[in-house]
Amino acid sequence: MKIRFLLALVGLAISFALPTFAQQKETADPQIIEQLNAVAKKWDDAFNNNDAVGLAATFTEDAVLVTDTGPVYGREAIEKYLAAMFKEGHFSNYSDKVDQYSPHMIGTDGKEVWSNGEWSLTWQGKTGGPIPLKGYWSSISVLGTDGAWKDKMQTWNTSPAPAATPSPTATPGNQ
């Protein structure tokens, strides 16, 4: 009897909470969204130009970049990390898509937001053919005293490439 009552109470609590989540709307001002989209465009252009300096300029001095290989601390170190990455091969066709529910305001002063989305690009290594890559990202951006938005923290990962599927006519030993 107690378990049934507890389950009914939990169900009731969830039924009250779900409409609240469903009603949440984008709280970021449209002007802020426009400004963040302009920063994202700069990021896309700099990435496609393999421009480590331009990319690093979108971070605060004390930023943290968390990659799928670990964290990188500070704008200067981020620039070095990106420059080393660009030396390994050429990146092109970079694009990102902001999640439909982003950005989200942090606090009430309108100077800090978090966003998330997905990215894709093509990587051309020095010895291999072009490889399409994709993944997800998230960031916390702050509005500086100069009126520019910069990332204080950014994370990204690389989603695994889809497994190769054998040809329907292939047989073991004949692939």
Side-chain angles (χ1 to χ4, degrees), residues 90-95 119-125 128-135 157-163:
H90 180 74
F91 293 83
S92 61
N93 303 318
Y94 180 87
S95 68
W119 61 267
S120 64
L121 59 78
T122 302
W123 181 71
Q124 176 70 49
I131 300 171
L133 298 171
K134 65 181 182 174
N157 71 4
T158 303
S159 296

Side-chain angles (χ1 to χ4, degrees), residues 80-150:
K80 287 178 184 175
Y81 172 85
L82 293 168
M85 190 174 75
F86 291 139
K87 285 181 182 175
E88 294 296 316
H90 180 74
F91 293 83
S92 61
N93 303 318
Y94 180 87
S95 68
D96 63 49
K97 179 181 173 189
V98 177
D99 184 81
Q100 65 180 338
Y101 301 111
S102 285
H104 305 274
M105 300 306 296
I106 300 173
T108 57
D109 64 358
K111 295 182 179 180
E112 196 170 17
V113 298
W114 69 269
S115 304
N116 65 292
E118 55 189 280
W119 61 267
S120 64
L121 59 78
T122 302
W123 181 71
Q124 176 70 49
K126 293 180 180 180
T127 59
I131 300 171
L133 298 171
K134 65 181 182 174
Y136 298 93
W137 60 268
S138 63
S139 67
I140 295 176
S141 303
V142 295
L143 184 61
T145 55
D146 62 353
W149 287 93
K150 297 192 184 265

Side-chain angles (χ1 to χ4, degrees), residues 5-45:
F5 178 73
L6 182 60
L7 289 174
L9 190 57
V10 168
L12 187 60
I14 291 172
S15 70
F16 284 124
L18 285 177
T20 302
F21 290 124
Q23 290 175 7
Q24 289 181 348
K25 300 289 182 202
E26 183 56 63
T27 57
D29 182 278
Q31 185 177 9
I32 291 173
I33 294 172
E34 187 176 310
Q35 292 167 349
L36 291 169
N37 286 339
V39 173
K41 173 79 169 101
K42 287 180 186 177
W43 174 272
D44 292 358
D45 292 344

